[in-house]
Structures are given as C-alpha cells and as structure tokens.
Amino acid sequence: MLEHAGIGMAPEKHVLVASRLAKRLNHLGLTSYGAYFRFVTAPDHQDELQIMVNLLTTNETYFFREPKHFEFLVDTVLAHWTKPDCRVWSAASSTGEEAYSLAMTLASHLRGLDWAVLASDLSTHVLDVA
C-alpha cells in the first residue's frame, strides 16, 4: 500500500488489514497473506492492486467534515483572497461530500470570482458512487 498508494500501514493496523482482506483471499482460493502479496504484485494481476486499495481505504465522509479546516479556509485564506480565481484540490474525497462542502464555501465567500474544486480519491468504488 505504501509503494502503490502512499498509504502506510502501521503494525497496529495488521488486524484491520487481515480482516478486510480475508474474504478476498477466500474468494481467490489463497491460503495465506503471503500468497496474496505474491498474487497482487504479479505483473499479470495489476487489476488486483486496485481491488486491494478499494478494500483497505477507509472512506469516511460527510458534509463539512473537520469544521476547523473550513474555519481556517474562511478566516485565514478566503478572508484575504485577492486573486480573480481560485482552484482547490480536495484529495481523498470519498463520495464527494467534502468537495461539495468546499464548493459551497467558495460559492458563498468568493461571489463574482471564478473558482473550481477538483476532487479525487484512490478508491474507484467511492468514485463510482460520487
């Protein structure tokens, strides 16, 4: 996950990883996580990497999640915004609630200016929902 997606899995996450991958191993008929690692890193199973990412990413999302971030955006950034346009990237957007929250914030504070929000996520599952 670290090499492919930039997500570190600390030792205390081993139980979480094992539980999220257990059904996948069973589905593929694999008897160990080592066998799954060899499977997922084999050149002819690159699509399995995305399945693994979908299984291991946590997709928590809701509108105006992390209120302090929006307070900072409004009070520190947008309060002093002087440029004619604004572009914001919402990484790890899950199904889009944070991105829509950003859009609502920009729309209410940058009236008359050109603005845009780019939203992305590593999980194709949540992008399909978005």
Side-chain angles (χ1 to χ4, degrees):
M1 281 295 285
L2 183 61
E3 185 177 315
H4 179 71
I7 299 172
M9 294 292 191
E12 56 269 13
K13 299 285 186 181
H14 285 180
V15 172
L16 173 90
V17 170
S19 68
R20 289 190 180 181
L21 293 179
K23 286 182 184 175
R24 189 69 187 157
L25 269 71
N26 188 46
H27 173 78
L28 295 169
L30 300 171
T31 57
S32 71
Y33 292 96
Y36 183 68
F37 176 77
R38 289 185 293 279
F39 181 83
V40 82
T41 57
D44 54 337
H45 294 118
Q46 291 296 302
D47 56 328
E48 188 66 28
L49 280 172
Q50 186 59 54
I51 293 169
M52 181 185 70
V53 167
N54 290 351
L55 290 170
L56 294 179
T57 50
T58 300
N59 305 301
E60 180 181 5
T61 186
Y62 47 89
F63 287 98
F64 295 97
R65 184 174 161 230
E66 305 293 345
K68 295 274 186 205
H69 295 178
F70 288 95
E71 290 172 23
F72 178 83
L73 176 64
V74 170
D75 298 341
T76 306
V77 178
L78 299 180
H80 306 288
W81 194 262
T82 59
K83 296 181 181 181
D85 63 347
C86 180
R87 303 289 178 260
V88 179
W89 176 26
S90 178
S93 291
S94 192
T95 55
E97 284 83 341
E98 286 93 351
Y100 278 107
S101 299
L102 275 169
M104 288 185 271
T105 302
L106 295 177
S108 66
H109 289 85
L110 298 179
R111 288 190 173 107
L113 299 181
D114 183 28
W115 58 266
V117 176
L118 170 68
S120 64
D121 200 279
L122 293 173
S123 170
T124 56
H125 173 72
V126 295
L127 290 176
D128 288 344
V129 173

